[in-house]
Amino acid sequence: MGAKTAIYTLIEELTSDGVGVIVISSELSEVLGLARRVLVLSHGRQTGLLERDEATEEHVMALAVSG
């Protein structure tokens, strides 16, 4: 099992047990695949907080460049 796969599996196990996990990544596809909520920052300021169903690549990128 690769390192990322092992980490993703661990995150899924923890969250299914009710543990909160904060994931910080520059890989948008990774964030969208793991997160229940996405906090978007631009120039050090919060520009959006999206629930999973709102968090599309287009929506996140629009918020990321709006700051």
Side-chain angles (χ1 to χ4, degrees), residues 11-67:
I11 290 171
E12 288 294 325
E13 290 172 2
L14 290 169
T15 57
S16 69
D17 289 341
V19 176
V21 176
I22 296 173
V23 174
I24 300 171
S25 177
S26 61
E27 295 181 34
L28 184 53
S29 61
E30 182 175 62
V31 172
L32 296 177
L34 292 171
R36 292 171 71 193
R37 282 188 215 100
V38 177
L39 175 68
V40 184
L41 301 174
S42 180
H43 303 287
R45 296 181 183 208
Q46 180 179 335
T47 56
L49 178 61
L50 306 172
E51 296 295 325
R52 175 176 266 165
D53 62 334
E54 303 172 299
T56 64
E57 185 173 334
E58 294 80 15
H59 198 172
V60 171
M61 291 306 298
L63 290 168
V65 299
S66 68

